[in-house]
Amino acid sequence: MKKVSSIITIFVIVIIASLIVWKVGTPNLISKNKENTTEKVSKKVEKESKKTKKKKEISKAKSSTTETSSSMESESSSESSSESTSSVSSYQSNVRFPELQAYAGKTYYAIDRESAEYPQMFSPTFTIAPDTETIIIDGRQWLIDKVRDDNGGIMLGSPDFVFSFRPLGSSDEVEVVNQGQYLTYSTTMPE
């Protein structure tokens, strides 16, 4: 019996000792766990912030590359448009009246002049000079001072003459208007 009681006493002492050790060690374990958890969380936060920074840097680099390429594209397109504008303006700078550009340098022949009510009112041919400064009617050269729109037609004028015509679908055929009379002219010589 003494053996059994001594075994029970030892067992109770071991249980009490382990409870004391557990009680004393638990706060240390909890604080260690807290420290470990805090360290783990802070490391995760650092990693996430590094990833976020890298993503931001990559997106900044991409956007700056896009901005650079788009600015380069806009510069090249503005350069090409300025080049085309300068080429157009240099082409048109040789022409005094841009509205006559389509007719410049072409000779127009009267079509069926004799069928007109008053054929003498119409010249057999007329030519607008390539620089659009003059018009040649019946072999006589006239200086063009002004050009204006005349109800869908074009009126040329100077102190000495007025000449009016309307395009007929293209610049190769026009209708000359003279005092209410009309006659068709073409760049193709009639047979």
Side-chain angles (χ1 to χ4, degrees):
M1 196 88 161
K2 283 186 178 180
K3 265 188 170 178
V4 174
S5 70
S6 63
I7 291 175
I8 291 176
T9 308
I10 292 174
F11 187 70
V12 169
I13 292 173
V14 169
I15 289 176
I16 291 174
S18 46
L19 283 174
I20 292 172
V21 169
W22 180 75
K23 270 285 196 191
V24 172
T26 301
N28 288 341
L29 286 176
I30 290 173
S31 67
K32 281 184 182 178
N33 282 343
K34 282 183 181 177
E35 286 174 11
N36 287 342
T37 306
T38 306
E39 282 179 28
K40 285 179 183 177
V41 169
S42 65
K43 284 180 181 178
K44 277 188 178 180
V45 168
E46 281 180 35
K47 283 181 182 178
E48 291 299 320
S49 65
K50 284 180 183 179
K51 284 181 184 178
T52 307
K53 281 183 183 178
K54 282 183 181 179
K55 284 181 182 178
K56 285 182 181 177
E57 288 173 6
I58 289 170
S59 66
K60 280 183 183 178
K62 283 183 181 177
S63 66
S64 68
T65 304
T66 305
E67 287 173 6
T68 305
S69 65
S70 64
S71 66
M72 288 174 71
E73 285 174 10
S74 65
E75 284 174 13
S76 65
S77 66
S78 66
E79 285 174 10
S80 65
S81 66
S82 65
E83 286 173 9
S84 64
T85 305
S86 66
S87 66
V88 167
S89 63
S90 68
Y91 181 66
Q92 287 185 346
S93 66
N94 298 333
V95 176
R96 182 173 178 196
F97 298 103
E99 48 273 61
L100 296 178
Q101 177 73 50
Y103 311 99
K106 294 180 179 179
T107 299
Y108 290 87
Y109 302 93
I111 297 175
D112 203 16
R113 179 174 176 246
E114 298 307 317
S115 68
E117 190 174 344
Y118 302 103
Q120 67 275 13
M121 292 177 64
F122 298 99
S123 162
T125 64
F126 74 90
T127 304
I128 296 175
D131 60 5
T132 70
E133 290 185 16
T134 58
I135 184 170
I136 301 164
I137 302 172
D138 285 334
R140 186 167 176 201
Q141 190 168 337
W142 302 88
L143 186 65
I144 300 171
D145 282 349
K146 60 186 173 209
V147 176
R148 70 180 176 96
D149 185 359
D150 182 32
N151 294 328
I154 297 172
M155 184 178 283
L156 316 176
S158 77
D160 302 324
F161 84 102
V162 174
F163 188 84
S164 181
F165 66 92
R166 299 168 197 247
L168 294 175
S170 73
S171 63
D172 292 335
E173 272 197 8
V174 296
E175 185 174 57
V176 173
V177 183
N178 190 356
Q179 297 178 17
Q181 301 293 312
Y182 302 90
L183 186 65
T184 302
Y185 283 72
S186 175
T187 55
T188 306
M189 186 182 292
E191 296 177 6

